[in-house]
Amino acid sequence: MPRVKAITTGSIPSFLDVILNFAESDTSSTLAMQDTWPFQLKAKPGGRLVMYGDDTWLKLFPDTFFRSNGTTSFFVSDFIEVDQNVTRHVPFELDQGDWNGMIIHYLGLDHIGHKSGPQSPHMIPKHHEMDSIVEQIYRALQTKEHLKSTLLVLCGDHGMNDAGNHGGSAPGETSPALVFLSPKLESVSVGIPCPLESPNQAFQYYNVVEQSDVVPTLAGLLGFPIPLNNLGIFIPEFLRFWSKAESVVLMRRNAQQILHVVQATFSDIDFHGTVDWTRCSKPASDAGQLQCLWAAVNALQDNENASAEEQLSALTQFSQAAQEIMSSTASNYDILKLQLGIATAAVTACCAVGALAALNPTGWSFWTSVLVLNYGGMMFASSYVEEEQYFWYWVTSGWLVILYLRFIPLSTTFPYHRVMYVPALLTIHRILRRWNQTGQKHAGEPDIAKTFLPAHNILLWIAVTVTFLDISRRLAKFGLPGAPTRVAGCASIVLCLLAFGFKVAFTITDAPELLTGTPQYFWKAFEGTSLVSQARILLWGLAFSMAYNVYQSIKQNSDSKTSANGK
């Protein structure tokens, strides 16, 4: 949702937008009362919008679309139907001439990234599928008369890191693609090489623009007013459509609109008064810098001898500086309140440590206090939060070493073989650390779960089978207290078989590559079975087992009270 807001309003999303992104029923995050290009496009004579794909658009723009069909973005295991539900509408809409804007938001690539990362075997086929959709739309722009003046904008709202996640600051996450396509662009295109060699910097292909720059560019190309809160700058490559004088007018409108946002933020600064030029070489503040840059724009406008190139340069310089400064103000917070919050958290932590020491006045309370204070200190750095798992790795290793040193006896009669439990635990702990890479920094590095086991499917399913056998044994022994041994054993086997069958059937649907190399008889019986039906049967079985355990517990307590009263 935050990125969609940036693409449609040209403004900078706030931290609150990230929180509201997870509130499925939230209505406060709607853009119904904000100025956006979808509303501007709809406000044009005969304006009608259609939308297919991510239902975030329907929540952000209620009662906006003439025709629509939304798909939820939270079923990340769905790579196919979530896109087919969009694609099935495309041929019909390309034949219609009753809309002036169509939004299609595919989710398949995002789901694949979240599920199995950018190196997933599903990724290349999905790219080919998306290529075919783009080709289908562009061919329609070339051949259908009512689409001859249509602009196709192909863009991503975000990228992904090596683990398939996004929301961080890695180049792969913050560098989505942006392409403008139309037969009419051929007249202004100078031609660019494709494909490119490897970029000099990560994901820096061709020119780099801000995501908010899409908004004023669409406004200029499609002929509607720039949204009021926009901080984007018209992409200069498209100025070739206009003469130099017309380009100056277009860029000035863009700069004036940004100036309105600047004035609302720095209301104490007079941007239309006289300026002390001696202070402009080293402005005292960001507002002073923008004041000087806008004064330079006005001075060139009043100068009859100023060329269009000079005016465009001054307008661009002001707009870029304003964009950078205003973007930074979106993360300006009340420092006093932050300090108050930190102080409150520190006092609370000290009280908690003191209470712990009072309740448990032993040596262990000291180490627990050190643990709590160190863990709390990690929360002051985002990089520590992202890699929190390493803190617990170090604490676990250190704790096992302390246990090892603590229990080494001075007596020669001590059974030393017990001491070897600690090195064994350290070895197991090391394996667990490599089992699944987490965090952000090393999320895409090789590990056991994503690298070794998928390449050795037989070992993977042997481990899965052994795990279910162990669970079945434990359920038979402890899961149904009071039941006859044979009944408990049969019930545990049935439950585990249902769970194992559901896992295999889900793997066939979600990750069939994990079954490569395994015998067909192992999974063929589960192919085509209904996941929903299996899940319902399994959950009913678990619910019955839980109810039986509750009944046995109540009965046991009742019997104990009866026995006590009889005595």
Side-chain angles (χ1 to χ4, degrees):
M1 187 267 282
R3 293 296 99 204
V4 174
K5 180 178 179 180
I7 293 173
T8 55
T9 66
S11 61
I12 307 300
S14 66
F15 181 73
L16 181 61
D17 293 315
V18 179
I19 300 299
L20 294 177
N21 189 41
F22 296 96
E24 280 283 85
S25 60
D26 174 71
T27 56
S28 62
S29 58
T30 176
L31 298 178
M33 303 305 294
Q34 295 192 38
D35 193 6
T36 62
W37 66 256
F39 287 132
Q40 293 284 5
L41 200 57
K42 185 180 179 182
K44 296 185 69 174
R48 283 179 172 178
L49 301 180
V50 296
M51 196 290 301
Y52 301 100
D54 189 350
D55 60 3
T56 300
W57 290 87
L58 300 179
K59 298 170 187 176
L60 290 175
F61 303 98
D63 303 320
T64 300
F65 301 104
F66 178 59
R67 286 187 296 269
S68 64
N69 186 14
T71 56
T72 181
S73 60
F74 283 89
F75 293 106
V76 294
S77 298
D78 180 10
F79 306 158
I80 301 172
E81 290 185 10
V82 72
D83 285 345
Q84 289 180 346
N85 285 334
V86 179
T87 302
R88 64 191 177 94
H89 296 285
V90 172
F92 170 79
E93 292 296 350
L94 292 177
D95 288 334
Q96 306 306 306
D98 59 350
W99 52 264
N100 67 337
M102 178 169 66
I103 298 168
I104 50 178
H105 190 151
Y106 284 94
L107 292 167
L109 281 171
D110 182 66
H111 288 187
I112 293 172
H114 282 298
K115 193 67 179 177
S116 49
Q119 303 303 322
S120 167
H122 299 287
M123 192 62 78
I124 292 180
K126 180 58 69 173
H127 274 110
H128 289 164
E129 179 187 342
M130 293 297 101
D131 285 345
S132 66
I133 301 301
V134 174
E135 181 181 7
Q136 179 184 3
I137 296 174
Y138 191 77
R139 295 298 182 197
L141 303 189
Q142 290 178 314
T143 57
K144 297 182 183 295
E145 190 63 32
H146 65 281
L147 297 177
K148 287 294 181 65
S149 296
T150 302
L151 172 67
L152 170 62
V153 181
L154 176 67
C155 66
D157 53 345
H158 56 74
M160 66 178 66
N161 59 18
D162 291 340
N165 300 321
H166 54 85
S169 58
E173 299 169 80
T174 58
S175 304
L178 172 64
V179 183
F180 288 78
L181 302 97
S182 175
K184 286 200 168 187
L185 292 179
E186 295 177 3
S187 62
V188 298
S189 175
V190 295
I192 51 178
C194 183
L196 282 178
E197 299 294 332
S198 299
N200 296 328
Q201 301 179 24
F203 303 101
Q204 300 300 298
Y205 300 93
Y206 305 113
N207 295 334
V208 179
V209 300
E210 294 293 328
Q211 210 163 37
S212 56
D213 295 346
V214 172
V215 176
T217 304
L218 287 178
L221 293 175
L222 301 180
F224 55 80
I226 300 174
L228 293 175
N229 295 320
N230 165 72
L231 288 174
I233 305 170
F234 190 90
I235 299 175
E237 283 76 5
F238 294 106
L239 291 176
R240 301 189 189 104
F241 273 120
W242 293 273
S243 66
K244 291 293 184 181
E246 292 171 333
S247 298
V248 170
V249 173
L250 183 65
M251 292 300 291
R252 172 170 282 277
R253 288 175 181 171
N254 190 182
Q256 286 175 331
Q257 177 272 320
I258 295 176
L259 178 64
H260 293 154
V261 182
V262 172
Q263 287 176 314
T265 304
F266 303 107
S267 56
D268 56 330
I269 302 295
D270 183 8
F271 285 89
H272 298 288
T274 57
V275 174
D276 184 358
W277 292 102
T278 59
R279 296 184 179 180
C280 288
S281 58
K282 292 183 178 180
S285 63
D286 290 339
Q289 178 188 356
L290 295 179
Q291 185 185 32
C292 291
L293 290 173
W294 186 250
V297 168
N298 288 332
L300 286 172
Q301 184 184 19
D302 297 335
N303 185 357
E304 296 180 354
N305 296 322
S307 66
E309 286 78 5
E310 290 176 320
Q311 294 186 62
L312 285 173
S313 176
L315 288 165
T316 302
Q317 191 175 359
F318 167 79
S319 299
Q320 289 176 342
Q323 184 183 62
E324 181 178 353
I325 291 171
M326 296 304 298
S327 298
S328 65
T329 60
S331 57
N332 287 346
Y333 304 106
D334 191 325
I335 301 300
L336 181 61
K337 291 181 179 179
L338 288 175
Q339 292 172 342
L340 180 62
I342 292 171
T344 303
V347 171
T348 304
C350 291
C351 291
V353 170
L356 180 65
L359 292 172
N360 184 23
T362 63
W364 295 118
S365 64
F366 169 76
W367 293 109
T368 306
S369 302
V370 171
L371 174 67
V372 171
L373 291 175
N374 278 278
Y375 181 70
M378 288 180 56
M379 298 300 104
F380 291 97
S382 60
S383 57
Y384 285 136
V385 174
E386 291 175 351
E387 308 299 333
E388 178 189 350
Q389 71 278 4
Y390 285 102
F391 175 82
W392 297 110
Y393 291 159
W394 298 330
V395 167
T396 304
S397 300
W399 180 254
L400 290 174
V401 170
I402 290 174
L403 287 178
Y404 182 79
L405 297 176
R406 181 182 175 88
F407 292 106
I408 288 181
L410 299 176
S411 172
T412 57
T413 61
F414 182 81
Y416 283 96
H417 66 276
R418 294 187 180 179
V419 180
M420 298 309 296
Y421 291 157
V422 173
L425 288 173
L426 285 170
T427 302
I428 295 172
H429 176 248
R430 183 60 190 173
I431 294 173
L432 291 177
R433 286 184 60 172
R434 294 295 296 173
W435 190 268
N436 199 349
Q437 292 283 8
T438 55
Q440 293 288 329
K441 192 173 182 180
H442 304 290
E445 297 295 324
D447 57 27
I448 296 174
K450 295 188 183 71
T451 307
F452 177 78
L453 289 179
H456 302 81
N457 289 339
I458 300 296
L459 291 178
L460 169 64
W461 287 103
I462 288 174
V464 170
T465 304
V466 169
T467 301
F468 274 96
L469 289 174
D470 182 61
I471 293 173
S472 177
R473 180 186 65 83
R474 292 172 185 270
L475 283 175
K477 190 174 183 179
F478 306 108
L480 297 172
T485 304
R486 290 186 178 180
V487 173
C490 291
S492 65
I493 291 173
V494 170
L495 279 176
C496 286
L497 282 176
L498 288 172
F500 183 79
F502 178 79
K503 185 174 187 65
V504 174
F506 190 85
T507 303
I508 293 172
T509 304
D510 185 55
E513 68 276 3
L514 295 180
L515 294 168
T516 304
T518 58
Q520 284 196 6
Y521 63 79
F522 176 74
W523 50 268
K524 200 69 176 177
F526 303 100
E527 191 176 23
T529 56
S530 171
L531 291 176
V532 175
S533 299
Q534 289 188 72
R536 285 174 177 170
I537 295 172
L538 177 60
L539 290 174
W540 275 112
L542 292 173
F544 175 79
S545 301
M546 187 178 297
Y548 178 81
N549 276 274
V550 172
Y551 166 75
Q552 286 292 336
S553 178
I554 295 173
K555 182 181 177 183
Q556 208 170 40
N557 290 336
S558 178
D559 292 343
S560 299
K561 290 180 180 178
T562 303
S563 299
N565 291 334
K567 292 180 180 179

